[in-house]
Amino acid sequence: SILKQMEEAGAHIAKIAVMPTCTEDVLTLLSATCKAKKELSCPVITMSMAKAGLISRLSGEVFGSCLTFGAAGKVSAPGQIQADALNQILDVLHESLIQA
């Protein structure tokens, strides 16, 4: 509902980053991302932070998030990984999605 409120308020991009307290919080975010991608007309960016949220940074695109963040040096948020490592992981994911 927060992402929908952003669009209704005139946002060109709906973005939310959350700090999970458990693994289920990450699943809730990914589910909300998938729903928002289907229901909103603006692009959606979501991510969950900390170690538990890393998977959302790596797989968010699969669920509808149009962007993720990697660090170019010092990390700026908990759970963020270096951009070169992120790029390698995303390359593997993209190759797998294309072959599927």
Side-chain angles (χ1 to χ4, degrees), residues 6-72:
M6 289 177 187
E7 182 180 55
E8 290 171 350
H12 295 279
I13 299 170
K15 177 186 178 274
I16 190 168
V18 297
M19 182 63 76
T21 59
C22 61
T23 304
E24 290 80 4
D25 288 349
V26 180
L27 293 173
T28 299
L29 175 73
L30 293 174
S31 178
T33 304
C34 191
K35 183 177 180 182
K37 172 67 175 168
K38 292 175 185 174
E39 295 180 1
L40 303 183
S41 59
C42 69
V44 174
I45 301 171
T46 65
M47 67 198 63
S48 187
M49 295 184 278
K51 289 180 182 180
L54 176 60
I55 193 65
S56 72
R57 294 174 176 276
L58 305 177
S59 66
E61 177 182 5
V62 174
F63 296 90
S65 184
C66 69
L67 188 137
T68 191
F69 294 86

Side-chain angles (χ1 to χ4, degrees), residues 81-93:
I81 64 173
Q82 293 299 313
D84 55 348
L86 177 60
N87 192 44
Q88 289 176 344
I89 294 166
L90 292 177
D91 283 347
V92 170
L93 184 60

